[in-house]
C-alpha cells in the first residue's frame, strides 16, 4: 500500500468526459481540491468515454498516456476526478506504479487536514475507515499500535484477517463516541427549543463565503479562508437582530457536488443541526459561473439529509466582484427570498439583518406560547476529551 501524499508532492490530474457536463468547472474545482490537499498540479490528462472501463476506468490507451505524463513531469501520484472502485484503483496502481487517489479519497484527505474539534476528527476518521475498508489489502497494521500491537494476532489468523478485525474494533469505538456526543447535542438542542429561539443555519457550496458572512454578522472570529472546506466544525452564536429579537446562527460545513456518502453518513449528527433549523441562509457565490449547478448540488445534499423542506433565504454573496447593487427580492406573498450582499465589504449586511428580524418576528407571531427570547452565547463544540 502506498503512503498518503505529503504536502508539496507533484500530481497529475485526470478528468474524463463521461457526458456529465460542466467539464471546465469540474476541472477547476479538482485543481482547487488538489491544492487544498497540499499537492502541486503538474499536468492534466483528459479524454472522452461513453462509460468507465470496468478494469481501469480510463481504458488501456489512456492509462498509457497517463503513465507517459507521469514520467515526463516526474510526478509522484495521480488524482482521478471520479469515484474509483477498489478493483479499478488497485489495477491502476499496478499499471502506473504509483499512488492513485480518487475524488472521494481526496476530499476525505482534506477533511482530515481541516478537522479541529474532537468530534470533527472522529467523524472524519470514521468516514475514512468506511471508504478504505473495501480497499484492504495490507497496511492496516498501524491500527495494532493503537491497541498494543504484540500479542494481538490470533492463532492461525492471516494478516488481512487481523487487519479487518482491528479495523472493525476501531469503527465500533468511533461510533460509540459519536453516539455519546450526539446525545449531548440533542440536550443542547432541546434547551434552545425551550427558549423559542429562531435557529438559523448557514449552508452553501464550499468556499461560497459562509464563514466570512458568519464573522461579519457575529464578530465571532471563526476561521475563514479562500480555500475549499475551510470550515468543518459547527460554530453557533447568538445574533441580535433588533426589537428584542435574537436568533442562533450556526456556521456549518460546506457542500460540494458528488459529496462522498461516507462523509454524509459520518457527519449525520452535525448535519442534523441543519435539518432541525427553522431557517436556512443558503449562501451562493454569485461571482461563480457555475453558481446554478452549485445551488443544485447544495439542494441535493439538503434533501439527502432531510433538510429539503426547511425554509430558505438565498444570500447572493460577493456582489463586490459582480458590481451588483445590494438589495432584496420578495416572492408573491411578500416573503424575502433573496438578499444581495458582500460579506467581505459589508454591503447589504443591514438588509440581511432586517430579513432575519422579519423571520424572527414572523416565527414569534406564528408560534404559540412565549415570544422569541434571548439565547445564550455559545459555541457548539464537543466537550468530550480523549
Amino acid at each position: 500500500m502506498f503512503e498518503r501524499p505529503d504536502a508539496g508532492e507533484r500530481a497529475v490530474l485526470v478528468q474524463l468526459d463521461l457526458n456529465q457536463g460542466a467539464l471546465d468547472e469540474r476541472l477547476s474545482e479538482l485543481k482547487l481540491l488538489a491544492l487544498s490537499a497540499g499537492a502541486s498540479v503538474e499536468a492534466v490528462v483528459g479524454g472522452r468515454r461513453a462509460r468507465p472501463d470496468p478494469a481501469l476506468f480510463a481504458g488501456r490507451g489512456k492509462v498509457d498516456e497517463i503513465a507517459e505524463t507521469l514520467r515526463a513531469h516526474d510526478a509522484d501520484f495521480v488524482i482521478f476526478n471520479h469515484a474509483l472502485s477498489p478493483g479499478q484503483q488497485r489495477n491502476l496502481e499496478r499499471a502506473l506504479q504509483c499512488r492513485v487517489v480518487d475524488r472521494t479519497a481526496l476530499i476525505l484527505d482534506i477533511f482530515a487536514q481541516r478537522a479541529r474539534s474532537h468530534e470533527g476528527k472522529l467523524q472524519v476518521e470514521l468516514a475514512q475507515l468506511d471508504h478504505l475498508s473495501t480497499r484492504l489489502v495490507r497496511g492496516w497494521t498501524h491500527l495494532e499500535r493503537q491497541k498494543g500491537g504484540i500479542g494481538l494476532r490470533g492463532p492461525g489468523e492471516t494478516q488481512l484477517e487481523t487487519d479487518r478485525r482491528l479495523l472493525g474494533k476501531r469503527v465500533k469505538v468511533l461510533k460509540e463516541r459519536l453516539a455519546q456526543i450526539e446525545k449531548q447535542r440533542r440536550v443542547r438542542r432541546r434547551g434552545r427549543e425551550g427558549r423559542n429561539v429562531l435557529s438559523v443555519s448557514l449552508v452553501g457550496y464550499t468556499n461560497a463565503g459562509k464563514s466570512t458572512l458568519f464573522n461579519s454578522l457575529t464578530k465571532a472570529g471563526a476561521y475563514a479562508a479562500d480555500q475549499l472546506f475551510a470550515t468543518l466544525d459547527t460554530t453557533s452564536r447568538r445574533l441580535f437582530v433588533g426589537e428584542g429579537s435574537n436568533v442562533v446562527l450556526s456556521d456549518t460545513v460546506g457542500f460540494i457536488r458528488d459529496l462522498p456518502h461516507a462523509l454524509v453518513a459520518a457527519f449525520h449528527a452535525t448535519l442534523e443541526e441543519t435539518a432541525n433549523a427553522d431557517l436556512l441562509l443558503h449562501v451562493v457565490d454569485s461571482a461563480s459561473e457555475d453558481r446554478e449547478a452549485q445551488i443544485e448540488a447544495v439542494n441535493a445534499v439538503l434533501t439527502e439529509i432531510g433538510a429539503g423542506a426547511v425554509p430558505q433565504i438565498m444570500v447572493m454573496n460577493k456582489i463586490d466582484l459582480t458590481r451588483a447593487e445590494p438589495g432584496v427580492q420578495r416572492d408573491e406573498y411578500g416573503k424575502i427570498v433573496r438578499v444581495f450582499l458582500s460579506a467581505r465589504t459589508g454591503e447589504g449586511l443591514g438588509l440581511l439583518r432586517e430579513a432575519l428580524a422579519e423571520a424572527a418576528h414572523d416565527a414569534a407571531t406564528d408560534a404559540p406560547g412565549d415570544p422569541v427570547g434571548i439565547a445564550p452565547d455559545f459555541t457548539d463544540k464537543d466537550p468530550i476529551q480523549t
Side-chain angles (χ1 to χ4, degrees), residues 214-357:
F214 182 79
N215 288 335
S216 298
L217 288 170
T218 66
K219 312 301 180 186
Y223 181 67
D226 184 18
Q227 56 186 208
L228 302 185
F229 302 115
T231 301
L232 289 190
D233 303 314
T234 299
T235 302
S236 300
R237 287 288 188 272
R238 182 183 64 186
L239 177 64
F240 176 72
V241 293
E243 297 183 2
S245 296
N246 292 266
V247 301
V248 170
L249 185 66
S250 299
D251 186 20
T252 60
V253 62
F255 300 149
I256 196 169
R257 60 166 60 91
D258 304 323
L259 188 67
H261 291 291
L263 272 177
V264 175
F267 276 74
H268 76 95
T270 301
L271 296 174
E272 194 178 49
E273 289 288 294
T274 299
N276 284 281
D278 301 308
L279 176 67
L280 302 180
L281 295 183
H282 184 161
V283 184
V284 177
D285 179 358
S286 62
S288 171
E289 295 181 358
D290 197 32
R291 58 184 175 273
E292 294 302 324
Q294 292 175 359
I295 291 170
E296 290 180 7
V298 170
N299 286 332
V301 176
L302 290 175
T303 299
E304 183 177 353
I305 64 175
V310 180
Q312 287 189 21
I313 293 178
M314 196 165 291
V315 180
M316 307 302 290
N317 190 26
K318 305 187 183 182
I319 62 170
D320 53 307
L321 301 180
T322 63
R323 298 183 180 179
E325 292 295 324
V328 299
Q329 284 184 357
R330 295 179 181 269
D331 62 15
E332 63 270 27
Y333 305 105
K335 296 280 188 180
I336 295 177
V337 292
R338 290 197 178 199
V339 179
F340 295 81
L341 56 76
S342 169
R344 187 178 68 85
T345 66
E347 294 178 274
L349 281 181
L351 296 173
L352 181 57
R353 285 181 175 273
E354 291 173 9
L356 290 174

Side-chain angles (χ1 to χ4, degrees), residues 3 39 42 60 97 109 165 177 211 215 218 225 229 240 245 247 251 257 260 358 378 382 386:
E3 298 294 327
E42 299 300 315
R60 174 55 62 181
Q97 289 298 296
D109 189 274
R165 178 168 53 83
R177 291 182 181 177
S211 294
N215 288 335
T218 66
F229 302 115
F240 176 72
S245 296
V247 301
D251 186 20
R257 60 166 60 91
E358 188 174 302
F378 62 89
D382 165 37
T386 53

Side-chain angles (χ1 to χ4, degrees), residues 11 56 77 121 212 230:
L56 293 168
F77 69 111
K121 291 176 181 178
T212 301

